[in-house]
């Protein structure tokens, strides 16, 4: 039957062409109107003298699933001639509007002579009951449309036309639906919200590697169905293996259309066409005639199969429960802290946790007239520096403290100036001598046998803690002031930038701008990924709690001053800087997760670098209070690190990774020598010779073992990075710094135990909590849920569903657990030297 109808149509076309050529002049056009049916294919002979109008009548209700007008028409047209200069023009006229195409058309770098389009459903243009446009004529049945075909080409060409109902149209809820799409045949399906639904999540999956774009559009006409059209319509994303997006009923009140279009190559999804090039080279070498075979491969019109699923989105109750649970988790730390403070008022518990320190003796009572004379001399002479001042001229400590002359018989001595992270920038000073001398605390420091570079063979804290407490306090506080200044000038542009990017995302509709975990991204208000912003609250709340703890301990130390000859000098300014940096991490990480991408990657990691470096500086400062790095030097090194990271991400390649590997290894070797020789090593011939002689029979064996482990770790990181050459250099740098920090903490703890130092029981508790939190935190960090270093489509392949409370994914768990791990680690650094409060500085080892 179908063959007979096609043959009749072909005969009619030939007759029309013959009649037109015999009876009409060359510029006359004959219009042939035909009434045709769905599910049939018609062959038209077309040139510049004939125009066709095909009136398609939909099948009767019950002939196919959906009942005719309930579904749109699927039009398919194939041209066997014509060119781009004289194309075939096709216009579909419907109740909802008119749409025009042309054949051939360019797509994917080649001309296409076939198209398949889904026409607009009639109800995309609501009917007006009071309209009199129909007049006296009977209204056209729903689903009917007319197709106008014309051509400016003088030569006859064959046009094949057919219409049918689409194989799938209505998306079911919570049931996967399989659809096929190709470059010339995009697929369109529709979802209508149920009465109780306010938002749903669209999930698209595929098992083949063809690149496609998926668009979410309003239920309106026309329907954008080409790559050029969907680039300006609705929400869109590139998809290779999977994709997802949450859709709100507020934005799509009548439901939404899902359009899938296949690309001509994998370039848009981040995949290269090297495989196709390799196939062509193989075909050319073995089978011959490679270009022709490659063209044949392109003509196969590969199709991509999708599985589309509509899932339930979270309700407001889920949001409220997640927010309440997160707040309760971190506020529990405040409750525990308050309970411990109150418990210390109970004498048995207070004795268990109270400091076992030697308090400073009360100041001697001086006559009133002597105090007046001293005050007068102070006003008359001002704050004059003496010959035994030990601070650097570049430090500025003289503006914050008043120097006192050293006791008679004390030999002036300047401590080595080297820090763990800024050794080259510290001012050079003389090395500690082997002769006995008096420290700033007034007690003589006994000398051992002479070591390398004139250093004592057994260094003790008294030799490196001769500056006054106010000097150390001023230097330590300068970390906090510098960090606050940097944070303000860094965070304000960050917040402004991410606000603009979020607005660009909302206006453009491109879901490739931001690298979310779309399977677990819960929008709220203007934020597209509220859960990844909320999970950063732990950094903010626990950082503030740690600041409160440091402030309380500092106030207690001020009320009950310690004896200067006992214990390790306190560095509360640097500890406060750690807590403040943790709070800044919350702001910057939350800002980054507003729209994570390649442009703002450094927002998430910059202050994590600060935390790692400041932690190492704090550990080093405990045993080297006089020779530690200055605040401006430390932040200068951090600025260089961030600049290198930007270079590595934006311009990374084999050359960069080679230079970085050499720089990494050489810098750590030089830093190791500076640390081993307490800042006395210089990159000079004599220093190298003396260092080589001493390392044959090392004096500081424990320190040497620690530095060898550090070098082994950094060499491993350097070689691994050189071999892998990941595009995520920011993540690589974070792994390097975190690895060095954790190693230094473990090494410091091990050296304490080797020296016979014992930790208080609560310090062990903090360390246990840190270890218990760091292990799963690092696991979730490495698992990841997106990858901004890859193409958006490849990043979506790492997306996974929520893991906790249907609200948090693996990266959220990294935020929560790492915040707890940092809090425990900072408290461990705050308390692990409490057991030395009653030990003289001359008995505390330096390592």
């Amino acid at each position: 039957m179908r063959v007979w109808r096609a043959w009749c149509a072909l005969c009619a076309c030939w007759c029309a062409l013959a009649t037109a050529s015999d009876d009409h002049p060359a510029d006359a056009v004959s219009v042939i109107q035909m009434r045709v049916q769905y599910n049939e294919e018609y062959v038209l002979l077309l040139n510049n003298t004939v125009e066709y109008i095909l009136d398609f009548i939909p099948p009767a209700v019950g002939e196919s699933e959906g009942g005719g007008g309930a579904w749109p028409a699927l039009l398919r047209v194939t041209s066997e001639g014509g060119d781009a200069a004289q194309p075939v023009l096709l216009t579909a006229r419907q109740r909802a509007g008119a749409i025009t195409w042309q054949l051939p058309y360019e797509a994917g770098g080649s001309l296409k002579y076939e198209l398949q389009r889904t026409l607009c459903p009639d109800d995309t243009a609501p009917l007006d009951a009071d309209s009199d446009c129909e007049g006296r004529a009977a209204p056209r049945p729903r689903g009917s449309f007319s197709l106008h075909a014309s051509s400016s080409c003088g030569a006859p060409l064959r046009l094949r036309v057919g219409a049918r109902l689409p194989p799938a149209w209505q998306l079911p809820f919570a049931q996967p639906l399989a659809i096929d799409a190709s470059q010339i045949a995009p697929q369109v399906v529709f979802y209508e919200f149920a009465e109780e639904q306010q938002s749903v999540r669209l999930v698209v999956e595929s098992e083949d590697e063809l690149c496609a774009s998926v668009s979410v559009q309003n239920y309106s006409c026309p329907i954008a169905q080409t790559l050029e059209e969907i680039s300006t319509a609705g929400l869109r994303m590139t998809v290779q293996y999977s994709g997802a997006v949450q859709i709100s009923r507020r934005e799509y009140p009548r439901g939404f259309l899902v359009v899938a279009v296949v690309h001509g190559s994998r370039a848009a999804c981040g995949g290269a066409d090297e495989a196709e090039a390799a196939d062509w080279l193989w075909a050319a070498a073995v089978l011959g005639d490679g270009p022709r075979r490659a063209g044949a491969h392109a003509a196969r019109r590969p199709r991509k199969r999708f599985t589309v699923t509509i899932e339930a989105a979270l309700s407001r109750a889920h949001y409220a429960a997640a927010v309440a649970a997160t707040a309760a988790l971190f506020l529990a730390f405040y409750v525990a802290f308050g309970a411990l403070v109150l418990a210390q008022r109970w004498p048995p518990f207070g004795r268990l946790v109270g400091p076992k320190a030697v308090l400073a003796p009360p100041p001697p009572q001086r006559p009133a007239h002597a105090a007046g004379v001293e005050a007068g001399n102070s006003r008359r002479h001002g704050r004059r520096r003496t010959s035994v001042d030990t601070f650097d001229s570049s430090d500025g400590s003289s503006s914050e403290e008043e120097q006192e002359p050293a006791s008679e018989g004390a030999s002036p001595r300047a401590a080595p100036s080297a820090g763990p992270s800024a050794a080259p920038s510290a001012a050079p000073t003389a090395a500690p001598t082997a002769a006995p001398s008096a420290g700033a605390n007034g007690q003589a420091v006994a000398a051992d046998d002479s070591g390398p570079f004139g250093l004592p063979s057994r260094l003790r804290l008294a030799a490196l803690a001769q500056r006054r407490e106010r000097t150390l306090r001023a230097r330590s506080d300068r970390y906090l002031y510098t960090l606050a200044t940097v944070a303000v000038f860094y965070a304000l542009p960050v917040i402004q930038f991410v606000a603009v990017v979020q607005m660009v995302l909302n206006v453009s509709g491109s879901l490739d701008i931001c690298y979310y975990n779309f399977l677990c991204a819960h929008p709220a208000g203007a934020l597209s990924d509220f859960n990844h912003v909320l999970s950063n609250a732990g950094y903010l709340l626990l950082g503030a709690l740690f600041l409160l703890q440091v402030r309380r301990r500092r106030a207690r130390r001020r009320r009950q001053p310690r004896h200067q000859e006992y214990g390790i000098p306190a560095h509360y300014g640097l500890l406060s800087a750690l807590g403040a940096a943790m709070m800044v991490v919350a702001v910057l990480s939350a800002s980054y997760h507003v729209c994570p991408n390649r442009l703002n990657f450094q927002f998430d990691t910059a202050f994590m670098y600060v935390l790692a470096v400041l932690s190492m500086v704090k550990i080093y400062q405990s045993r080297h209070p006089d020779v530690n790095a200055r605040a401006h030097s430390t932040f200068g090194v951090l600025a260089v690190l961030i600049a290198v990271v930007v270079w590595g991400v934006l311009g990374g390649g084999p050359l960069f990774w080679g230079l970085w590997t050499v720089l990494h290894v050489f810098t750590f070797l030089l830093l190791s020598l500076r640390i081993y020789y307490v800042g006395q090593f210089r990159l000079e011939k004599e220093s190298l010779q003396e260092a080589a002689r001493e390392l044959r029979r090392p004096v500081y064996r424990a320190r040497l073992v620690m530095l060898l482990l550090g070098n082994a770790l950094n060499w491993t990181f350097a070689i691994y990075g050189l071999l892998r050459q990941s595009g995520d250099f920011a993540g690589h740098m974070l792994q390097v710094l975190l690895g060095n920090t954790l190693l230094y903490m473990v090494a410091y703890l091990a050296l304490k135990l080797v020296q016979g130092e014992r930790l208080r029981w609560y310090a062990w508790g903090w360390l246990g909590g840190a270890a218990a939190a760091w292990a799963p935190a690092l696991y979730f960090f490495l698992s990841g849920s997106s990858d901004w270093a890859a193409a958006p489509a490849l990043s979506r392949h790492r997306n996974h569903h929520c893991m906790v409370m249907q609200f948090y994914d693996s990266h959220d768990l990294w935020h929560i657990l790492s915040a707890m791990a940092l809090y425990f680690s900072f408290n461990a650094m705050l308390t692990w030297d409490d057991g030395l409060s009653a030990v003289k500085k001359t008995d505390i080892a330096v390592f």
Side-chain angles (χ1 to χ4, degrees):
M1 186 67 179
R2 293 182 180 180
V3 176
W4 173 252
R5 290 181 179 178
W7 174 252
C8 294
L10 183 60
C11 292
C13 293
W14 277 111
C15 294
L17 287 175
T19 304
S21 60
D22 295 339
D23 300 337
H24 296 275
D27 57 348
V29 177
S30 298
V31 178
I32 302 176
Q33 188 168 3
M34 303 170 57
R35 189 179 181 91
V36 295
Q37 301 293 328
Y38 276 52
N39 304 321
E40 300 288 345
E41 184 179 80
Y42 298 90
V43 181
L44 310 178
L45 292 178
L46 189 67
N47 63 7
N48 59 356
T49 63
V50 178
E51 179 179 338
Y52 287 91
I53 301 177
L54 305 182
D55 294 323
F56 283 87
I57 306 301
V61 176
E63 288 187 13
S64 62
E65 184 181 358
W71 287 14
L74 188 62
L75 176 67
R76 188 181 189 91
V77 182
T78 304
S79 173
E80 297 181 2
D83 54 42
Q86 296 176 322
V88 175
L89 297 181
L90 303 168
T91 301
R93 298 179 60 182
Q94 308 175 254
R95 184 187 299 273
I99 311 172
T100 300
W101 310 278
Q102 71 177 38
L103 282 177
Y105 61 96
E106 186 175 356
S110 62
L111 289 178
K112 306 297 182 184
Y113 291 84
E114 180 182 358
L115 67 80
Q116 177 177 297
R117 296 292 183 266
T118 301
L119 303 184
C120 300
D122 284 348
D123 57 354
T124 54
L127 294 176
D128 187 357
D130 299 330
S131 175
D132 57 355
C133 291
E134 296 289 349
R136 298 177 179 270
R140 300 181 63 183
R142 295 180 63 88
S144 62
F145 71 95
S146 62
L147 179 68
H148 294 230
S150 63
S151 174
S152 59
C153 180
L157 56 90
R158 195 185 303 268
L159 199 67
R160 299 179 181 273
V161 182
R164 60 188 177 91
L165 296 177
W169 171 245
Q170 189 85 24
L171 278 171
F173 178 72
Q175 296 180 11
L177 176 67
I179 61 174
D180 291 331
S182 67
Q183 190 174 6
I184 63 171
Q187 286 295 319
V188 183
V189 288
F190 167 66
Y191 182 78
E192 184 176 8
F193 287 98
E195 184 176 355
E196 69 280 0
Q197 288 178 335
Q198 296 302 318
S199 60
V200 295
R201 188 178 302 278
L202 168 68
V203 180
V204 180
E205 297 175 323
S206 178
E207 295 183 355
D208 60 66
E209 59 184 9
L210 291 177
C211 180
S213 286
V214 175
S215 173
V216 178
Q217 305 173 25
N218 267 310
Y219 190 63
S220 60
C221 191
I223 304 174
Q225 300 178 62
T226 66
L227 295 175
E228 293 77 12
E229 291 171 348
I230 65 175
S231 63
T232 58
L235 299 175
R236 61 193 180 278
M237 57 182 169
T238 54
V239 173
Q240 188 167 13
Y241 298 108
S242 63
V245 61
Q246 184 161 318
I247 303 171
S248 172
R249 185 172 190 164
R250 183 181 66 251
E251 299 176 359
Y252 300 92
R254 300 184 62 194
F256 56 87
L257 300 170
V258 180
V259 183
V261 188
V262 177
H263 289 258
S265 68
R266 290 180 292 166
C269 292
D273 291 332
E274 290 84 4
E276 297 179 11
D279 293 342
W280 178 82
L281 290 175
W282 174 259
V286 178
L287 303 176
D289 199 13
R292 182 183 62 81
R293 292 180 178 274
H297 173 75
R300 285 201 298 265
R301 300 174 306 199
R303 302 183 67 85
K304 185 178 182 69
R305 167 150 289 203
F306 299 88
T307 300
V308 183
T309 309
I310 299 295
E311 299 179 350
L314 297 188
S315 63
R316 293 184 178 181
H318 285 94
Y319 277 75
V323 172
T326 304
L329 173 64
F330 294 116
L331 291 179
F333 286 85
Y334 283 81
V335 174
F337 173 68
L340 289 175
V341 171
L342 294 177
Q344 290 182 14
R345 299 178 180 272
W346 184 43
F349 186 77
R351 288 192 297 269
L352 186 62
V353 300
K356 300 176 181 179
V358 178
L359 301 180
Q365 298 292 333
R366 291 176 294 176
H369 65 85
V373 171
E374 182 177 348
N377 292 335
S378 176
R379 286 192 301 268
R380 186 163 51 252
H381 295 290
R383 304 171 72 174
R384 182 177 301 170
R385 295 180 58 187
T386 67
S387 60
V388 295
D389 290 342
T390 57
F391 54 86
D392 289 339
S393 60
S394 63
D395 187 46
S397 300
S398 58
S399 64
E400 303 182 32
E401 61 180 290
E402 183 177 339
Q403 299 293 332
E404 296 179 355
S407 58
E408 186 176 355
S411 61
R413 174 173 54 188
S417 56
S421 56
S425 61
T429 56
T433 60
S437 61
N441 53 20
Q443 178 173 343
V445 180
D448 297 295
D449 297 335
S450 178
F453 296 96
L455 294 168
S457 60
R458 297 183 63 194
L459 274 174
R460 291 293 180 262
L461 182 63
L464 299 177
Q466 299 187 46
R467 289 184 172 89
R468 296 185 60 203
E469 183 180 358
R470 291 189 62 182
T471 304
L472 299 178
R473 183 169 64 248
R475 290 182 173 179
S476 184
D477 289 343
R478 195 166 289 115
Y479 276 94
L480 179 60
Y481 305 147
T482 306
L483 183 138
T485 304
V486 171
V488 169
F489 283 95
Y490 193 91
L492 290 180
V494 165
I495 296 174
Q496 180 181 4
F497 177 81
V498 297
V500 172
V501 173
Q502 180 68 63
M503 288 188 291
V504 170
L505 171 66
N506 296 337
V507 172
S508 68
S510 175
L511 299 177
D512 290 348
I513 296 177
C514 304
Y515 287 68
Y516 301 125
N517 176 12
F518 291 92
L519 290 175
C520 188
H522 308 295
L527 297 176
S528 302
D529 194 7
F530 173 70
N531 52 301
H532 281 82
V533 175
L534 176 65
S535 59
N536 286 282
Y539 297 119
L540 184 68
L541 295 176
L542 296 185
L545 178 58
F546 184 72
L547 275 175
L548 179 63
Q549 293 177 232
V550 174
R551 184 178 182 85
R552 180 176 179 273
R553 178 174 279 228
R554 188 169 193 168
R556 186 175 59 186
R557 177 72 69 93
R558 190 180 296 114
R559 291 193 305 267
Q560 298 178 345
R562 304 287 179 84
H563 199 292
Q564 296 298 310
E565 298 180 5
Y566 294 85
I568 290 179
H571 309 106
Y572 294 120
L574 187 48
L575 287 166
S576 298
L578 288 173
M582 191 171 170
M583 298 176 68
V584 179
V585 165
V587 177
L588 294 181
S589 181
S591 300
Y592 166 76
H593 283 286
V594 170
C595 181
N597 56 46
R598 182 180 291 268
L599 297 177
N600 58 6
F601 67 93
Q602 70 271 25
F603 301 164
D604 189 37
T605 56
F607 267 74
M608 292 184 183
Y609 302 157
V610 173
L611 282 178
V613 172
L614 290 186
S615 297
M616 289 186 281
V617 171
K618 170 62 188 73
I619 298 173
Y620 188 84
Q621 193 181 46
S622 299
R623 305 290 169 142
H624 310 79
D626 288 353
V627 298
N628 204 25
R630 306 295 190 266
H632 61 275
S633 303
T634 304
F635 281 93
V637 171
L638 284 166
V640 173
L641 284 179
I642 294 176
V644 171
V645 169
V646 173
W647 179 22
V649 171
L650 300 182
L655 176 61
F656 167 80
W657 279 98
L659 293 176
W660 162 251
T661 303
V662 174
L663 179 64
H664 184 185
V665 172
F666 176 78
T667 301
F668 199 84
L669 279 174
L670 180 60
L671 188 60
S672 300
L673 292 172
R674 295 278 292 178
I675 293 174
Y676 183 77
Y677 294 113
V678 199
Q680 300 313 296
F681 175 81
R682 300 290 185 269
L683 197 58
E684 301 170 352
K685 181 179 179 181
E686 294 77 8
S687 295
L688 287 171
Q689 291 175 348
E690 185 171 355
R693 286 194 302 268
E694 195 277 334
L695 287 177
R696 296 173 185 173
R697 299 183 62 184
V699 176
Y700 311 119
R701 292 184 175 86
R703 189 182 307 174
L704 180 62
V705 171
M706 179 186 71
L707 292 174
L708 287 177
L709 291 175
N711 275 273
L713 176 67
N714 282 271
W715 280 57
T716 302
F717 275 126
I719 296 174
Y720 174 76
L722 181 62
L723 295 177
R724 188 183 178 197
Q725 296 190 17
S726 170
D728 186 7
F729 182 74
H732 174 77
M733 179 65 77
L734 183 61
Q735 293 175 19
V736 171
L737 293 177
L738 283 179
N740 279 275
T741 303
L742 293 176
L743 177 64
Y744 199 7
M745 292 183 66
V746 173
Y748 186 86
L749 177 62
L751 291 175
K752 280 178 65 70
L753 299 178
V754 169
Q755 294 294 333
E757 300 176 5
R758 295 294 178 262
L759 280 70
R760 302 289 298 274
W761 64 271
Y762 49 83
W764 283 113
W766 292 122
L767 286 170
W774 273 122
L778 292 176
Y779 168 78
F780 289 122
F781 173 74
L782 295 175
S783 63
S785 58
S786 62
D787 183 10
W788 57 260
L794 298 179
S795 174
R796 289 189 181 90
H797 189 49
R798 302 188 65 181
N799 292 172
H800 55 254
H801 285 87
C802 302
M803 304 174 68
V804 176
M805 299 181 64
Q806 300 180 353
F807 195 80
Y808 290 132
D809 66 357
S810 62
H811 198 74
D812 288 315
L813 296 179
W814 152 254
H815 287 162
I816 295 172
L817 292 172
S818 63
M820 298 168 60
L822 287 172
Y823 175 74
F824 292 143
S825 300
F826 294 165
N827 275 281
M829 289 189 286
L830 178 67
T831 59
W832 61 11
D833 286 324
D834 284 359
L836 302 177
S837 299
V839 179
K840 286 189 174 182
K841 293 179 180 178
T842 53
D843 298 329
I844 299 177
V846 173
F847 45 78

